Amino acid sequence: MLVADEPHPAVTASALPLLSSVREILDALHAVRRRTLDLVSHLSPADLERQVDPIMSPLVWDLAHIAAYEDLWLVHRFAGEPLLRPDLAAVYDAFETPRTVRGEIELLDTPRAYEYLAVVRERTIAALDGREPDPVVHEMVVRHELQHTETMRQAMELGGLLAPGEPALRNGSTGGDEDWLAVPAGAFRMGANGTGFAYDNERPAHEVEVPAFRIARRPVTNGTWMRFAEGGGYERREWWSDEGWAWKEDYDITHHAGVAAGHPDAPACHVSWFEADAFARARGARLPTESEWERAATWNQGNGGSAGVLEDSGQVWEWTASAFGGYPGFVAYPYPEYSEVFFGDGYRVLRGGSWATHPRVATTTFRNWDLPQRRQIFAGVRLVKEA
């Protein structure tokens, strides 16, 4: 039976050391590939090739995209070899071929997508023969595939295709979600330091002064969310932003079926930013800023602890109040399309990781982002109040 990665009790405290040897890199690449293939091993070609929702790719597109990305970075750019399939470059480029059209164009079918993955991997291995690896680029490709398997799980859940045992959300710690932690005012170093792997949007590390605040020890549970819904949460205009209310009215959002079906003590999941913001207002609270979230996630490390004070991290992504943008001194690397093209007020930042996020990705400095109306992401809510 396929099972998800073991739930991790908290996000990884810091960036992992870079892979340095050919053996380490090949072991990581092979382990991640086994995980990807296991994820979809129970699905038929028909399941892999259909688009379950216009906001998600057919799973077979993701598989071929993983191969195309690996060929681009670990064969073409690393070793200077021609692309295996230059005719497919645009089809499997996320910007050239947006999700809305991926179910309408001709893609590699399932057998050819698997073959593409296998042949590219042979080329990747050959490219390392006699060459020193590039630890940053090889690690980037490992994490790219790990991130895509979470996106694939989102599509699989929308299509009713998850394997038994998934989603692997567990009930929260005892004590409910009404327990607040006081985080004192102070400065801390936000962002990734100079060691290990980090994406461009996590750098450079910089000093941030954060006023005192209180943060919920745990994410909001399904049971608490249901009390919000039953208390008029989707009817009380005063709790919603103008944009959020317009979204709710346009799409006739009157409840959250997924939350209603979940265990009362499990964290609420598939919550949009608009809903999270309205919920926070209804509770006399707000969403944390990015700096508040990272301060809380790392604060105890400076007080003799090995992790921050946030409990039940890594079950659901946690929305923040912050728009996605670059840190002071941001420099795009290794390509602007990873982060920079998404900067601005349109996207909101999520932190912490979900049950489907590999621990290699879910560090305290990792920044995820999505549009405020999106519900497909495994996202929930952790609230903040003024001190």
Side-chain angles (χ1 to χ4, degrees), residues 20 22 78 128 130-134 138:
S20 57
V22 171
F78 169 67
L128 283 166
R131 291 186 179 89
E132 287 296 316
D134 183 326
H138 282 83

Side-chain angles (χ1 to χ4, degrees), residues 225-242:
W225 192 276
M226 285 306 299
R227 291 194 289 275
F228 160 73
E230 291 165 358
Y234 289 88
E235 300 165 4
R236 298 278 294 272
R237 174 66 183 84
E238 67 271 23
W239 290 338
W240 293 77
S241 66
D242 291 344

Side-chain angles (χ1 to χ4, degrees), residues 10 15 54 74-75 77 86 103 108 113 203 226 229 235 245 263 277 288 307 321:
L74 300 190
V75 181
R77 295 192 177 172
L108 295 179
R203 300 183 188 275
M226 285 306 299
E235 300 165 4
W245 186 261
H263 191 284
D277 177 60

Side-chain angles (χ1 to χ4, degrees), residues 221-229 234 256 259 271 275-276 279 381:
T221 63
N222 288 320
T224 301
W225 192 276
M226 285 306 299
R227 291 194 289 275
F228 160 73
Y234 289 88
H256 199 304
V259 169
V271 173
E275 291 168 293
F279 177 91
V381 192

Side-chain angles (χ1 to χ4, degrees), residues 163-244:
E166 294 192 348
L169 286 165
R170 64 187 187 279
N171 297 345
S173 305
T174 58
D177 52 14
E178 301 296 319
D179 194 1
W180 298 88
L181 297 160
V183 181
F188 80 106
R189 192 81 172 157
M190 183 174 180
N193 59 28
T195 63
F197 177 89
Y199 288 100
D200 57 4
N201 63 63
E202 302 174 58
R203 300 183 188 275
H206 55 290
E207 286 289 314
V208 177
E209 187 78 34
V210 181
F213 62 96
R214 291 183 294 154
I215 190 166
R217 189 184 296 271
R218 303 172 190 89
V220 171
T221 63
N222 288 320
T224 301
W225 192 276
M226 285 306 299
R227 291 194 289 275
F228 160 73
E230 291 165 358
Y234 289 88
E235 300 165 4
R236 298 278 294 272
R237 174 66 183 84
E238 67 271 23
W239 290 338
W240 293 77
S241 66
D242 291 344
E243 192 178 9

Side-chain angles (χ1 to χ4, degrees), residues 237-309:
R237 174 66 183 84
E238 67 271 23
W239 290 338
W240 293 77
S241 66
D242 291 344
E243 192 178 9
W245 186 261
W247 166 78
K248 190 189 76 68
E249 294 292 285
D250 287 347
Y251 291 92
D252 195 25
I253 307 295
T254 60
H255 65 294
H256 199 304
V259 169
H263 191 284
D265 295 329
C269 189
H270 294 302
V271 173
S272 71
W273 188 91
F274 287 142
E275 291 168 293
D277 177 60
F279 177 91
R281 294 175 193 226
R283 305 287 292 181
R286 59 180 173 81
L287 301 179
T289 64
E290 272 200 272
S291 57
E292 287 172 333
W293 190 96
E294 192 168 321
R295 163 83 163 153
T298 59
W299 175 55
N300 199 40
Q301 294 172 26
N303 292 273
S306 60
V309 296

Side-chain angles (χ1 to χ4, degrees), residues 65-99:
H65 169 74
I66 288 168
Y69 191 90
E70 181 175 326
D71 196 45
L72 173 66
W73 285 100
L74 300 190
V75 181
H76 178 58
R77 295 192 177 172
F78 169 67
E81 298 292 334
L83 292 174
L84 174 64
R85 292 290 304 272
D87 57 310
L88 298 178
V91 173
Y92 294 107
D93 182 292
F95 289 91
E96 294 288 338
T97 306
R99 289 181 180 180

